[in-house]
Amino acid sequence: MYPSNHQFSSQPRALAVVETPTSMQVDLNETSSDSRDEMQNGGFSEVKSIMESSEKLQDDLRMLGTKIKQHEDSIKLLKTQKNKLDDNILDMQVLLGKYHSSSSPIVNKDRSHLQSEHEITEQILRHEKSAAGILFQLKTHHGPQASHLSLTKDLLGVVGTLGKVDDENLSRLFSEYLGVQTMLAIVCKTFEGVKALETFNQDGCIDKTSGLHGIAASIGRSLDGRFLVFCLEGLRPYAGDFVTDDPQRRLDLLKPRLPNGECPAGFLGFAVNMIHVDSSNLAFVTANGEGLRETLFYNLFSRLQVYRTRAEMLLALPCISEGAVSLDGGIIRSNGVFSLGTREEVDVRFPKTSTMSEELQSYNETEKRMKETRWQKEKLEEDIKRELALLNSVKFNFETKKQDFVKFLAQSSSYATQAARR
């Protein structure tokens, strides 16, 4: 009667699920999305690793570059210090060379051959018709009162009496180089002093009754010929630096250098720095504060170089720009101008500055300082070698690291190309 009741069972039946094309498409899309996410996450991770590696390599290169700069700066500083020691050694060699400039040893020098200031005064007086001779005769006749005359108030003296040297050979050499007329030249501070030495009448002729001519006539002498006068305020002074902590205020002149950077063999120094100037004339002689070295003696000698022998002087010709002399009598006046022949004996010479005992003591002190300075130079050379070794090591590491960085850049570029193709 209930035919429909036969269509059900007391046991439940499993429900069959049939996948439609739409549900299949959803699953495929989800799987593809997961794969892309995994790929993107892996790509980002690799890019991050590349960037970190790049930054580390660059940091390493920067650090090595900084070290290279530090070592280069250290070497530069050490070389500067070494060059200063080289100059100090050369200066001391100049001093020691001056002690050996005469043919006999320092302890056996005959003092009877050394000229005193008194002897030079006598030699100037022998030139009785010269301007210097008349001035010294005036001092002889009037003594200290002569310095109070209006004519002499501006006068410093005569060239030959305003400087001293360390030995007789230098005295002979410098006097011959300058010549007797220059050695007898009068030195005035200002142009007013120059004008006071000589006046002229209305016809333009020299007034023999005034100035130095009038003084000559008053003591029974006549002033013959011309005479040189140096006016300090009219001279162009040396404009460079002075040797540091030098009581003599020597000029800090650049020493001659051969193409290989070394000083020529036999070079002893500059003539202008071999003149000893009295402390009263070292500074504030002129209104601008200059002393005799940077005015008078710089104009007389300029950068005249002094060598031990003529042969060494000639070998150094490429380094000589303003003349040179040698202890054995060689003279180069200027480029291409040589003084040949036998030596001329000039009877007005620079006096000597120190006694034998002082000279010997100074010699020993200089030798001691020379040894100390050479020891310091050796230590600096060792420091330079050590810094060079460190510099070369760091440069090697830098080049190795740079090659690694170049390889890394090439690999990174290859990866970027492959990633772009995916």
Side-chain angles (χ1 to χ4, degrees):
M1 282 182 66
Y2 304 100
S4 58
N5 294 337
H6 296 281
Q7 297 177 1
F8 298 94
S9 171
S10 60
Q11 297 293 330
R13 299 176 61 184
L15 180 63
V17 178
V18 180
E19 293 184 349
T20 65
T22 302
S23 64
M24 291 179 64
Q25 184 66 32
V26 170
D27 289 343
L28 288 173
N29 287 341
E30 288 177 353
T31 303
S32 176
S33 175
D34 292 340
S35 299
R36 280 199 303 271
D37 288 344
E38 290 177 1
M39 289 179 62
Q40 287 178 354
N41 291 335
F44 288 144
S45 176
E46 192 164 353
V47 169
K48 183 179 179 182
S49 175
I50 290 174
M51 292 179 64
E52 288 176 349
S53 299
S54 174
E55 288 177 359
K56 185 178 185 307
L57 285 171
Q58 291 183 66
D59 289 341
D60 291 344
L61 285 172
R62 277 192 290 267
M63 179 191 70
L64 291 171
T66 300
K67 286 186 177 180
I68 289 174
K69 180 68 166 55
Q70 290 172 347
H71 288 302
E72 288 176 341
D73 290 343
S74 296
I75 291 171
K76 184 178 179 180
L77 177 62
L78 290 170
K79 286 185 175 180
T80 300
Q81 293 173 349
K82 178 181 171 293
N83 290 337
K84 289 181 179 179
L85 291 181
D86 284 334
D87 288 340
N88 291 338
I89 289 172
L90 185 56
D91 289 336
M92 286 183 278
Q93 286 175 338
V94 169
L95 291 175
L96 296 176
K98 288 192 291 183
Y99 297 133
H100 292 294
S101 61
S102 63
S103 58
S104 56
I106 185 172
V107 294
N108 295 324
K109 288 182 180 179
D110 186 358
R111 294 183 62 182
S112 64
H113 294 296
L114 302 176
Q115 292 186 317
S116 67
E117 295 181 53
H118 176 69
E119 289 173 327
I120 289 181
T121 298
E122 288 184 344
Q123 290 186 348
I124 291 176
L125 287 171
R126 293 192 189 109
H127 294 265
E128 57 182 20
K129 293 185 178 181
S130 68
I134 289 171
L135 281 176
F136 272 73
Q137 290 176 59
L138 178 65
K139 290 181 180 180
T140 302
H141 284 82
H142 298 281
Q145 297 178 351
S147 61
H148 298 295
L149 297 175
S150 60
L151 176 71
T152 60
K153 282 184 178 181
D154 195 68
L155 301 184
L156 272 179
V158 174
V159 168
T161 64
L162 293 175
K164 299 176 183 178
V165 292
D166 285 337
D167 65 72
E168 182 189 11
N169 195 26
L170 283 178
S171 178
R172 291 176 60 209
L173 186 61
F174 292 166
S175 299
E176 182 185 6
Y177 176 81
L178 295 177
V180 66
Q181 188 180 24
T182 300
M183 291 296 291
L184 290 172
I186 295 172
V187 180
C188 296
K189 295 180 182 179
T190 67
F191 185 58
E192 293 301 317
V194 177
K195 291 192 295 182
L197 292 174
E198 192 170 75
T199 60
F200 300 86
N201 57 31
Q202 293 181 349
D203 297 327
C205 298
I206 296 173
D207 185 353
K208 299 288 186 178
T209 64
S210 66
L212 199 54
H213 296 274
I215 290 176
S218 69
I219 59 176
R221 296 287 187 269
S222 62
L223 181 55
D224 295 340
R226 291 186 176 274
F227 59 95
L228 286 180
V229 179
F230 288 96
C231 175
L232 294 184
E233 73 172 6
L235 300 178
R236 178 176 294 178
Y238 165 75
D241 296 326
F242 295 86
V243 176
T244 306
D245 298 327
D246 180 17
Q248 271 287 300
R249 283 173 56 84
R250 291 179 177 86
L251 313 184
D252 191 13
L253 302 173
L254 289 177
K255 296 173 179 61
R257 299 285 181 184
L258 295 170
N260 62 5
E262 294 181 359
C263 194
F267 173 74
L268 297 178
F270 294 95
V272 67
N273 284 337
M274 294 182 176
I275 298 292
H276 181 90
V277 180
D278 286 340
S279 58
S280 59
N281 291 328
L282 282 173
F284 302 105
V285 178
T286 68
N288 292 327
E290 294 101 356
L292 284 185
R293 191 182 305 281
E294 62 266 36
T295 53
L296 175 66
F297 290 112
Y298 182 68
N299 277 270
L300 290 175
F301 292 111
S302 188
R303 287 173 167 79
L304 182 75
Q305 299 175 21
V306 181
Y307 287 85
R308 187 180 297 108
T309 66
R310 182 185 285 102
E312 290 170 324
M313 178 179 72
L314 293 176
L315 288 175
L317 273 176
C319 303
I320 298 172
S321 59
E322 297 181 49
V325 295
S326 63
L327 297 181
D328 55 2
I331 295 180
I332 299 175
R333 295 285 174 181
S334 59
N335 287 350
V337 181
F338 299 81
S339 288
L340 304 180
T342 57
R343 296 183 70 164
E344 178 185 356
E345 292 295 333
V346 177
D347 60 0
V348 180
R349 303 177 191 169
F350 292 108
K352 190 163 184 307
T353 181
S354 62
T355 64
M356 302 311 274
S357 59
E358 292 173 341
E359 196 171 288
L360 183 57
Q361 181 181 358
S362 178
Y363 178 88
N364 293 333
E365 290 176 355
T366 302
E367 275 201 327
K368 181 181 177 182
R369 284 191 291 115
M370 172 81 84
K371 291 179 182 178
E372 293 175 353
T373 306
R374 281 178 170 163
W375 178 83
Q376 293 174 356
K377 178 184 173 182
E378 290 174 359
K379 293 298 181 184
L380 278 177
E381 288 174 342
E382 291 175 2
D383 292 342
I384 291 173
K385 288 181 181 178
R386 183 168 58 253
E387 283 293 331
L388 281 172
L390 292 172
L391 174 63
N392 291 333
S393 175
V394 176
K395 281 185 173 180
F396 176 80
N397 293 337
F398 181 85
E399 289 299 322
T400 302
K401 189 68 68 173
K402 187 171 73 173
Q403 292 174 8
D404 292 343
F405 186 61
V406 170
K407 290 178 182 178
F408 173 80
L409 290 177
Q411 293 171 355
S412 301
S413 176
S414 175
Y415 169 79
T417 302
Q418 293 174 4
R421 290 174 179 174
R422 292 174 184 174

